[in-house]
Amino acid sequence: MAQKNIGIIGVGAYLPEKVVTNFDFEKIIDTSDEWIRTRTGIEERRFATENQATSDLGAEAAKKALENAGISADEIDMIILATATPDYLVQNTACIIQELIGAKNAGAIDVNAACSGFVYGLALAKGMVASGINKKVLVIGAEVFSRIVDMEDRNTCVLFGDGAAAAIVTEVECGTGIISEFLGAEADKTGSLRTIAGGSKVPLTREALDKKENFIQMKGQDVFKFAVKALPKATLEALDKASMKASDIDMVIPHQANVRIIEAASKRLEIPIERFYLNLNKYGNTSSASIGIALFEAWEKGLIKKGDVIALTGFGAGLTYASVIIKWSY
Ligand code: ACO
């Protein structure tokens, strides 16, 4: 059987309208615009309104991706939603999005690989199409981290933002598409990035709430050390599988957590920083949405053209790290 070429035929993104600047945080916690900008590169982020959930953001991004791909929702036969902030713990959010966009012929699952989720989702989608299980897969990364961040904890609250992105994965023109993928994981035994309560290990009791264990907790420096190794490693592993070198990449779209992590990766990979697409100054860390949002922006600005080689690389809680190499199809 001839090998299928599988890639992306349309991308979309959605950012909530509410802008929260570093100066807004200066008014509520002991921080400064200068500290946040110089330590992270973030200047502002978007927060969902009170009545917007992850499904609402994901559905908007999905509609845009469908429009850009020129296909209707009923052509989608699988929805893979990457998220660490689902609408509910039980009842998957992908099903809610299926209803919101009218994708009545689609199966629907959530995957949680935190900030690597969008890349994991693309790789899973490729596998589903390659195996013949599905024809057109809608991959979404959507998050409302503002709901799981303690707005009094300066170590975390300034870093995250809300947003969503989507891509349609299907068969594409010969010689283009997702060339290779690397999916990595190692257990985070020390809780360097975790929301403790609300799962099966620590129920959401009054005591847990008093200890604020319903909010994300992070050991920033441990995550930083992991990230500066994981970003280059995942990219190199995927390049190796594609029999390519770092110099073959036209654009790296990394997870947008901290500009210093991306600068360190640029040095290790020996890829000039100008070839990394950055937008974390505007949106902060939107977890599983960040790579998709950056991909959509770069495409919309005309910075990505047919035949370009793009590396999408993420790292996040789990710990997870992942990369796909794509030869752009359109
Ligand atoms: N404003 C002012 N001061 C602050 C703030 C803030 N918002 N946050 C921390 N500080 C203080 C600390 O309390 C500390 O003070 P101290 O020296 O008196 O104790 C000081 O700044 C230095 O803190 P560090 O943690 O050493 O700062 P660092 O330079 O490591 O930067 C940061 C912290 C930005 C969190 C960095 O470690 C980082 O980016 N880590 C990676 C985080 C990340 O990528 N997380 C997401 C992963 S993806 C996912 O799955 C969700």
Side-chain angles (χ1 to χ4, degrees), residues 145-153 156-158 160 215-216:
F145 256 65
S146 61
R147 299 268 149 74
I148 63 156
V149 164
D150 176 4
M151 291 299 167
E152 292 176 346
D153 176 10
T156 52
C157 70
V158 300
F160 296 98
F215 292 125
I216 193 160

Side-chain angles (χ1 to χ4, degrees), residues 6 11 81 92 115 121 140 149 151 157 166 177 192-193 197 201 208-209 255 258 266-267 284 288 291 323:
I6 297 154
V11 283
L81 170 69
N92 75 12
C115 308
I140 305 168
V149 164
M151 291 299 167
C157 70
S192 62
L193 193 50
K201 187 99 172 169
L209 284 171
H255 172 46
N258 186 321
S266 153
K267 283 203 188 94
S288 65
I291 291 173
S323 184

Side-chain angles (χ1 to χ4, degrees), residues 82 113-121 184 255 287-288 291 314-317 319-322:
C115 308
S116 310
F118 195 75
V119 179
Y120 263 76
H255 172 46
S287 189
S288 65
I291 291 173
F315 56 87
L319 301 159
T320 58
Y321 54 126

